[in-house]
């Protein structure tokens, strides 16, 4: 899209035109394009308008209803923070008493929207001209929010009067590949850390798989999952981290959020090695900790809370004789233990006439796709099998999911 077309779409007339269009449907898109052109709309603008409708349609599950009034780009939507998570970011700034948050690399402005929505001022900085034009339109409903189109590292936080910093750096290269080195992110983690320590409250969104050597000991790092998918880790500093340096997990299921942090025993630096959970004999239930709990190194903590131990050294499956009834784990009733060799598995699946099989594995060292290819899945039955180690031995367990805790 040309910058001129983006500016036209972002103008009050452009947004009124978009608002007047019927909702997106792939079947009628071509017809609508023809209609817009017949009414004298430039081909570029007609195509861009239809793209907006399609992106809004796609964005609904990630961004909720607000998507229908936002201006979006494909990259901006991919990078945008989910609305349920932006609300948690913004709540930290409000609790910190922040009055003006600088959002360094604001993208389409989803995090800024949540901050402004809680009544704080926002200066959102974005260097890409089209993204900045759309962020300006997206934030226009808030008097206390403004967008600066420039390099975020060139802004002087003190001059802006910002008392808080938020940054969600771009973590992919131009070809769309993930950059594992935080200093290759844009802005780089080191530049953001330096600025984070210059304000009373700060947060930086980082990749959930960030290596511990990149985690500073003055951060509180919170891994976040939404409906069982780990979506980010947030590094929080100063007044935005009232819990102090350490690690926690925030597990969002539906519209409820649950926080898990180490209980007592004093603060643990976020880069400290994860605590080993004790191994327990296989019980009647297997518990799969949420990915955010695993990333945060809190499997042992969860085990203590639900009275369970791990099935084998360094394997993040917990086991006990009762369901976990916890938002931090999914429990499975252990139905049967069968041989873990390929032939034994094939026989077990055939004997039980299993036509649909969910295979889970942890610590078994096998390739699930290869295992699946070696099985003849025929028959009316469905099953779930877990390939793992129990007290060091390769094991296959038929299990049945227990309904999630309400
Ligand atoms: C991951 S996105 C932010 C998404 C945003 N948090 C949201 O939820 O909508 C990162 C953005 O930072 C911008 N960016 C990267 N480096 C920048 C820099 N040095 N100055 C300003 N913006 C930058 C990119 O263009 C991109 O739009």
């Amino acid at each position: 899209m040309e910058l001129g077309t983006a500016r036209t779409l972002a103008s009050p007339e452009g947004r009124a035109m978009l608002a007047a269009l019927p909702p997106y449907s792939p079947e009628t898109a071509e017809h609508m394009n023809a209609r817009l052109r017949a009414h004298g709309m430039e081909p570029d603008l007609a195509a861009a308008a239809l793209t907006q409708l399609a992106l809004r349609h796609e964005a609904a599950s990630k961004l909720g209803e607000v998507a229908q009034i936002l201006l979006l780009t494909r990259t901006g939507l991919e990078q945008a923070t989910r609305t349920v998570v932006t609300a948690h970011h913004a709540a930290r700034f409000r609790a910190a008493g922040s009055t003006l948050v600088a959002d360094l690399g604001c993208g389409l402005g989803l995090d800024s929207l949540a901050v402004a929505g809680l009544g704080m001022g926002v200066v959102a900085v974005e260097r890409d001209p089209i993204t900045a034009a759309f962020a300006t339109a997206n934030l226009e409903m808030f008097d206390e929010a403004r967008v600066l189109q420039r390099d975020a590292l060139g802004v002087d936080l003190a001059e802006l009067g910002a008392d808080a910093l938020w940054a969600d750096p771009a973590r992919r290269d131009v070809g769309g590949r993930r950059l594992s080195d935080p200093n290759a992110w844009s802005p780089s983690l080191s530049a953001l850390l330096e600025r984070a320590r210059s304000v009373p409250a700060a947060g930086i969104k980082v990749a959930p798989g960030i290596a511990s050597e990149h985690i500073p000991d003055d951060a509180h790092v919170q891994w976040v999952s939404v409906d069982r998918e780990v979506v980010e880790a947030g590094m929080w500093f100063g007044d935005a981290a009232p819990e102090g340096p350490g690690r926690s997990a925030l597990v969002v299921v539906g519209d409820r959020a649950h926080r898990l942090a180490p209980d007592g025993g004093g603060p643990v630096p976020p880069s400290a090695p994860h605590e080993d959970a004790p191994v327990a004999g296989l019980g009647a239930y297997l518990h799969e900790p949420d990915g955010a709990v695993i990333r945060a190194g809190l499997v042992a903590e969860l085990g203590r809370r639900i009275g369970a131990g791990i099935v084998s050294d360094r394997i993040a499956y917990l086991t006990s004789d009762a369901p976990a009834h916890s938002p931090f784990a999914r429990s499975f009733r252990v139905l049967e233990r069968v041989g873990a060799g390929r032939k034994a598995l094939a026989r077990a699946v055939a004997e039980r006439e299993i036509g649909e099989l969910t295979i889970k594995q942890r610590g078994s060292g096998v390739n699930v796709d290869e295992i699946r290819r070696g099985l003849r899945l025929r028959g009316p039955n469905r099953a779930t099998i877990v390939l793992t180690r129990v007290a060091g031995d390769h094991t296959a367990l038929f299990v049945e999911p227990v309904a999630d805790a309400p």
Side-chain angles (χ1 to χ4, degrees):
M1 185 182 8
E2 298 285 324
L3 180 56
T5 308
R7 289 207 168 121
T8 308
L9 275 183
S11 67
E13 297 74 25
R15 279 180 287 151
M17 176 273 287
L18 283 174
L21 295 176
Y24 177 76
S25 119
E27 291 80 37
T28 58
E30 207 148 293
H31 172 70
M32 200 183 322
N33 191 343
R35 252 181 53 200
L36 295 176
R37 304 271 306 275
H39 279 82
M41 192 180 282
E42 292 294 325
D44 268 8
L45 187 57
L50 285 171
T51 302
Q52 281 308 307
L53 296 190
L55 287 172
R56 284 176 176 182
H57 178 74
E58 251 178 68
S61 60
K62 186 174 189 182
L63 306 182
E65 275 173 26
V66 73
Q68 302 316 314
I69 56 165
L70 296 179
L71 290 175
L72 304 167
T73 61
R74 169 138 323 271
T75 314
L77 174 57
E78 280 163 11
Q79 296 184 326
T81 308
R82 283 167 180 70
T83 302
V84 283
V85 181
T86 61
H88 288 282
H89 297 160
R92 279 191 181 259
F93 290 115
R94 185 171 62 179
S98 306
T99 57
L100 182 63
V101 181
D103 182 354
L104 301 186
C106 71
L108 296 169
L110 274 301
D111 278 300
S112 285
L113 266 176
V115 170
L118 289 186
M120 289 166 276
V122 179
V123 181
V125 190
E126 171 58 52
R127 72 173 172 197
D128 175 69
I130 292 180
T131 312
F134 282 5
T136 306
N138 293 342
L139 285 161
E140 206 184 62
M141 63 182 117
F142 293 105
D143 291 343
E144 295 303 311
R146 65 191 169 110
V147 177
L148 304 176
Q149 194 234 309
R150 66 178 71 152
D151 187 333
L153 297 183
V155 302
D156 182 330
L157 298 178
E159 213 170 90
L160 288 179
D163 56 5
L165 172 152
W166 167 251
D168 173 9
R171 300 190 301 270
R172 288 178 188 266
D173 67 11
V174 275
R177 283 174 298 263
R178 281 182 212 278
L179 295 162
S180 57
D181 176 5
N183 289 320
W185 298 347
S186 186
S188 72
L189 182 59
S190 53
L192 291 172
L193 285 172
E194 192 188 314
R195 285 158 180 79
R197 294 183 180 115
S198 73
V199 284
I204 305 173
K205 177 166 148 184
V206 299
I210 188 162
S212 59
E213 77 224 45
H214 297 300
I215 299 180
D217 272 347
D218 58 342
H220 181 88
V221 189
Q222 184 165 71
W223 278 264
V224 182
S225 71
V226 176
D227 296 332
R228 304 289 169 210
E229 184 194 349
V230 182
V231 294
E232 69 172 50
M235 281 186 186
W236 297 97
F237 299 89
D239 296 344
E243 56 275 78
R247 291 192 289 250
S248 62
L250 185 72
V251 171
V252 182
V253 184
D255 56 4
R256 297 184 65 180
H258 312 266
R259 187 173 168 276
L260 184 69
D263 202 7
V268 181
S271 62
H274 294 180
E275 183 192 353
D276 286 329
V279 176
L282 182 66
Y285 290 86
L286 195 70
H287 316 289
E288 181 178 51
D290 187 276
V293 172
I294 297 175
R295 294 276 198 189
L298 294 172
V299 173
E301 177 68 32
L302 174 61
R304 269 193 294 279
R305 300 219 186 167
I306 64 172
I310 50 174
V311 287
S312 198
D313 203 25
R314 306 205 151 267
I315 296 197
Y317 278 130
L318 290 158
T319 184
S320 68
D321 279 329
H325 294 309
S326 162
F328 302 116
R330 284 204 303 168
S331 292
F332 296 84
R333 198 157 69 88
V334 178
L335 303 174
E336 217 179 331
R337 188 170 178 167
V338 295
R342 282 164 201 246
K343 279 195 188 150
L345 273 181
R347 206 169 36 244
V349 165
E351 279 169 9
R352 288 161 185 75
E353 297 184 29
I354 294 167
E356 211 180 307
L357 182 68
T358 303
I359 306 176
K360 294 175 160 288
Q361 84 79 28
R362 202 161 270 173
S364 70
V366 299
N367 177 324
V368 167
D369 293 333
E370 237 173 67
I371 293 279
R372 183 179 288 286
R373 276 197 296 274
L375 300 173
R376 267 162 54 97
L377 294 174
R378 298 248 174 90
N381 300 320
R382 280 187 191 175
T384 302
I385 200 160
V386 176
L387 306 177
T388 188
R389 276 183 283 134
V390 169
D393 294 336
H394 285 280
T395 305
L397 302 169
F398 278 108
V399 298
E400 161 184 273
V402 174
D404 269 347

